């Protein structure tokens, strides 16, 4: 009887030790998987932000350089427009400049899911982009103090505000870039509509004799750059946009499958 109890006791001890070892191995594997996944997620986020920064400068900088290189053609373009479309005046550009940003912000406030986690992240990105855009545009305007195109009918500039760069165009392209980043992965019309209205804004600013073509191109560059940098900054602050979440889930699954 004692021998049977002793054997039973030994079997229980051996089973417990085996379970403990198995749990330890599972725990170690889970810890390694979690650590590995976290490291991969950090690399993914870093690479994504670096790609976004690269995209910001690879798009905005060439557009800005093109605008600066066309300064010497401003008067020729201005004269051509006055010849082809004398007296052209519409005010639609005063309104459509806000359409891309209003669409992005409105969809976010309405709860339409984009790349941002919540409405506050959308709002924070928009506020940061707008603040940077306004600061850069106004700083350049009063720093360069370039006069507006001359109105051929009056012989005077369109208004007394400096011309370079175009604030309307900067606002429009900033909004278009914000809209494209937030909803372009779900709705193909988002970037198409946003950049169509942004381009139309720039074109109308030239046709309305309010800006030179170089003003418009540099304004577009400022708008794109500030929107990109705002998304980069809020990604760094929150670090949990849905584009990252989807990557994290896939990496967790891959790592756990490996172990």
């Amino acid at each position: 009887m004692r021998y049977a109890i002793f054997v039973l006791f030994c079997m229980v001890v051996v089973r417990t030790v085996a379970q403990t070892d198995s749990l330890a191995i599972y725990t170690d594997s889970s810890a390694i998987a979690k650590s590995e996944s976290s490291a991969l997620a950090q690399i993914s986020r870093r690479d994504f932000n670096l790609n976004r920064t690269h995209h910001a400068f690879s798009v905005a900088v060439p557009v800005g350089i093109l605008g600066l290189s066309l300064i010497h053609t401003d008067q020729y373009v201005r004269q051509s427009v006055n010849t082809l479309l004398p007296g052209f005046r519409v005010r639609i550009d005063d309104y459509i400049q806000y359409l891309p940003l209003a669409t992005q912000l409105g969809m976010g406030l309405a709860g339409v899911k984009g790349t941002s986690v919540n409405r506050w992240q959308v709002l924070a990105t928009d506020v940061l982009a707008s603040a940077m855009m306004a600061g850069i545009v106004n700083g350049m305007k009063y720093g360069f103090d370039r006069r507006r195109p001359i109105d051929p009918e009056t012989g005077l500039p369109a208004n007394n505000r400096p011309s370079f760069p175009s604030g309307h165009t900067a606002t429009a392209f900033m909004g278009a870039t914000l809209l494209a980043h937030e909803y372009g992965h779900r709705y193909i019309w988002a970037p198409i509509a946003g950049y169509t209205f942004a381009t139309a804004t720039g074109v109308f600013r030239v046709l309305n004799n309010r800006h030179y073509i170089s003003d418009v191109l540099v304004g577009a560059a400022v708008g794109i750059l500030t929107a990109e940098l705002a998304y980069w900054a809020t990604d760094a602050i929150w670090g949990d946009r849905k584009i990252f979440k989807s990557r994290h889930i896939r990496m967790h699954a891959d790592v756990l499958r490996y172990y």
Side-chain angles (χ1 to χ4, degrees):
M1 184 66 179
R2 291 180 180 178
Y3 178 76
I5 294 174
F6 175 76
V7 172
L8 181 61
F9 174 76
C10 290
M11 292 176 61
V12 171
V13 170
V14 170
R15 185 173 181 180
T16 302
V17 171
Q19 288 179 343
T20 302
D21 291 341
S22 177
L23 180 60
I25 293 172
Y26 176 78
T27 303
D28 291 342
S29 299
S30 299
I32 293 172
K34 183 177 181 180
S35 176
E36 191 74 17
S37 179
S38 178
L40 290 172
Q42 290 177 3
I43 292 172
S44 176
R45 181 179 297 120
R46 182 185 65 191
D47 289 345
F48 180 79
N49 282 334
L50 289 175
N51 287 336
R52 171 162 287 164
T53 305
H54 171 72
H55 179 258
F57 288 95
S58 65
V59 175
V61 171
V63 172
I65 292 175
L66 177 62
L68 293 173
S69 67
L70 292 178
I71 288 180
H72 67 282
T73 68
D74 281 340
Q75 293 300 334
Y76 172 77
V77 174
R78 178 72 267 139
Q79 292 172 3
S80 299
V81 171
N82 288 336
T83 301
L84 295 173
L85 298 170
F88 183 89
R89 294 291 184 276
V90 295
R91 297 198 60 185
I92 190 173
D93 47 323
D94 290 334
Y95 307 105
I96 64 174
Q97 63 170 320
Y98 300 113
L99 280 179
L101 180 59
T103 301
Q104 185 255 22
L105 183 59
M107 291 175 69
L109 294 177
V112 180
K113 298 299 182 182
T115 58
S116 297
V117 174
N118 52 49
R119 302 172 186 177
W120 297 109
Q121 194 172 9
V122 176
L123 185 60
T125 304
D126 293 349
V127 169
L128 182 59
S130 299
M132 289 193 294
M133 185 274 296
I136 293 174
V137 167
N138 286 294
M140 293 179 69
K141 277 183 180 292
Y142 291 101
F144 289 96
D145 197 23
R146 185 186 194 187
R147 297 185 69 190
R148 298 271 178 163
I150 300 298
D151 188 332
E153 296 180 359
T154 64
L156 299 172
N159 57 52
N160 294 325
R161 280 180 55 79
S163 178
F164 181 85
S166 168
H168 281 61
T169 310
T171 300
F173 274 90
M174 178 197 72
T177 305
L178 293 173
L179 177 62
H181 279 322
E182 191 66 31
Y183 295 109
H185 69 292
R186 293 189 61 187
Y187 306 105
I188 187 61
W189 59 263
I192 295 174
Y195 286 113
T196 297
F197 283 115
T199 302
T201 299
V203 170
F204 281 123
R205 295 308 284 169
V206 175
L207 296 181
N208 281 329
N209 205 43
R210 292 296 185 267
H211 282 287
Y212 297 106
I213 189 170
S214 61
D215 300 341
V216 167
L217 289 172
V218 174
V222 171
I224 295 170
L225 180 61
T226 52
E228 294 279 4
L229 293 179
Y231 259 85
W232 181 89
T234 51
D235 279 342
I237 294 171
W238 267 271
D240 55 0
R241 288 190 194 274
K242 289 195 171 181
I243 190 167
F244 290 140
K245 281 191 171 183
S246 61
R247 292 186 181 187
H248 292 177
I249 292 171
R250 288 198 301 271
M251 284 187 293
H252 273 289
D254 292 341
V255 172
L256 291 175
R257 189 182 304 114
Y258 173 78
Y259 282 99

